[in-house]
């Protein structure tokens, strides 16, 4: 035993713990080619394949629409698993942080645009959902220096509603099921707008708190800098000693007058 840390001797320093999870030292050691990132990459690859399946043979062939639905369903399922695996087994990487939301929005955006292009879904629905998704992404970057806006329960419900509604539109449904998918999409749109407004509120509050904390820290630093500046101690001594000098001068004048 040399007493040197494992990282210094060439090891990763990551020790498996109960349940197969890696220690915190493995967070920065996670390989790019881990299972979570591979699932994210697979979801990105599925996007063009999904589009080709959905638009094949004019976009109205029930069989090809079923294949497209299968691809969409796989993408939605992998979206659930890759984030869970990354958090549980400390497989979080910079690539995953960037690629995962891109993959989510790519598959959803592709489905919405194709469905509107085929005339199955109004363009305003696609516009509302895409505007919200892109807007919230920009909003997160706007306030990231002050903190992270966490995913809310409403946001998760919105994702589930969107995925269910879009999946139902991808399938060539008729009759009561076609009516049902309209109402599911209506719920998804409402949740999209409501949760979007809530994220805006959270972003404004977070930014205000962050700016207030920065101003407080700047004021504290200014006070500390003034106290540590050269000559500040002498100035304080002069200020504190001024009353003694004044009282001493008054006493001297009083003694002189008494002698006269």
């Amino acid at each position: 035993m040399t007493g040197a840390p494992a990282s210094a001797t060439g090891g990763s320093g990551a020790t498996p713990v109960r349940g197969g999870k890696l220690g915190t030292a493995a967070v920065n050691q996670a390989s790019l080619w881990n299972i979570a990132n591979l699932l994210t990459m697979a979801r990105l690859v599925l996007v063009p394949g999904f589009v080709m399946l959905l638009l094949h043979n004019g976009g109205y062939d029930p069989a090809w629409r079923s294949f497209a639905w299968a691809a969409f369903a796989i993408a939605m399922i992998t979206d659930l698993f890759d984030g869970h695996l990354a958090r549980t087994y400390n497989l979080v990487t910079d690539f995953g942080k960037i690629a995962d939301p891109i993959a989510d929005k790519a598959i959803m955006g592709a489905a919405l645009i194709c469905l509107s292009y085929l005339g199955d879904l109004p363009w305003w629905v696609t516009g509302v959902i895409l505007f919200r998704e892109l807007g919230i992404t920009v909003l997160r970057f706007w306030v990231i220096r002050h903190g992270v806006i966490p995913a809310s329960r409403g946001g998760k419900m919105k994702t589930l509603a969107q995925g269910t509604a879009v999946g139902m539109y991808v399938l060539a449904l008729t009759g009561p099921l076609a009516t049902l998918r309209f109402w599911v999409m209506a719920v998804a749109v409402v949740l999209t707008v409501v949760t979007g407004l809530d994220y805006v509120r959270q972003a404004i509050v977070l930014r205000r708190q962050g700016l207030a904390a920065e101003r407080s820290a700047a004021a504290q630093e200014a006070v500390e800098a003034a106290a540590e500046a050269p000559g500040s101690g002498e100035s304080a001594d002069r200020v504190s000693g001024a009353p003694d000098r004044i009282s001493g001068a008054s006493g001297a004048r009083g003694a002189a007058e008494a002698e006269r």
Side-chain angles (χ1 to χ4, degrees), residues 2-254:
T2 62
S7 59
T9 58
S12 64
T15 304
V17 296
R18 184 176 300 176
K21 299 180 183 180
L22 299 179
T24 55
V27 174
N28 296 325
Q29 303 287 340
S31 169
L32 173 65
W33 301 101
N34 61 62
I35 183 62
N37 285 347
L38 290 176
L39 288 175
T40 300
M41 295 176 193
R43 197 157 73 255
L44 285 169
V45 172
L46 273 175
V47 175
F50 163 76
V51 171
M52 288 189 293
L53 290 171
L54 183 58
L55 299 181
H56 187 76
N57 199 20
Y60 298 103
D61 189 317
W64 287 104
R65 294 281 286 253
S66 298
F67 294 144
W69 177 87
F72 182 80
I74 292 172
M76 293 294 100
I77 293 172
T78 57
D79 180 31
L80 297 175
F81 278 104
D82 61 0
H84 174 73
L85 290 172
R87 291 186 298 270
T88 302
Y89 296 101
N90 292 327
L91 300 176
V92 178
T93 62
D94 290 337
F95 171 81
K97 293 177 183 178
I98 296 173
D100 183 67
I102 291 176
D104 297 342
K105 291 171 177 55
I107 189 68
M108 183 61 67
L112 290 168
I113 291 173
C114 287
L115 289 171
S116 293
Y117 170 77
L118 293 172
D120 293 338
L121 191 67
W123 277 106
W124 70 265
V125 173
T126 296
V128 167
I129 295 177
L130 293 184
F131 178 79
R132 186 268 190 197
E133 298 301 328
L134 295 176
I136 295 304
T137 300
V138 173
L139 200 64
R140 288 181 185 276
F141 281 106
W142 182 53
V143 299
I144 196 169
R145 60 189 289 254
H146 304 296
V148 177
I149 303 176
S152 64
R153 181 174 299 178
K156 295 177 182 178
M157 292 176 59
K158 178 270 306 178
T159 301
L160 177 61
Q162 283 184 0
T164 303
V166 170
M168 294 179 72
Y169 270 88
V170 170
L171 287 172
L173 299 178
T174 58
L177 290 177
T179 303
L180 177 62
R181 72 182 182 182
F182 167 82
W183 291 108
V184 175
M185 180 59 76
V187 172
V189 171
V190 170
L191 289 174
T192 297
V193 174
V194 171
T195 57
L197 293 175
D198 182 61
Y199 277 125
V200 171
R201 179 193 61 80
Q202 291 186 56
I204 293 174
V205 171
L206 185 61
R207 187 170 187 272
R208 286 177 178 174
Q209 292 175 346
L211 292 176
E214 288 179 358
R215 287 193 294 266
S216 177
Q220 182 64 27
E221 291 177 359
V223 171
E224 293 176 355
E228 296 174 358
S232 60
E234 297 177 1
S235 300
D237 292 340
R238 287 196 296 270
V239 172
S240 61
D244 295 336
R245 291 194 295 271
I246 293 173
S247 61
S250 300
R253 286 196 297 272

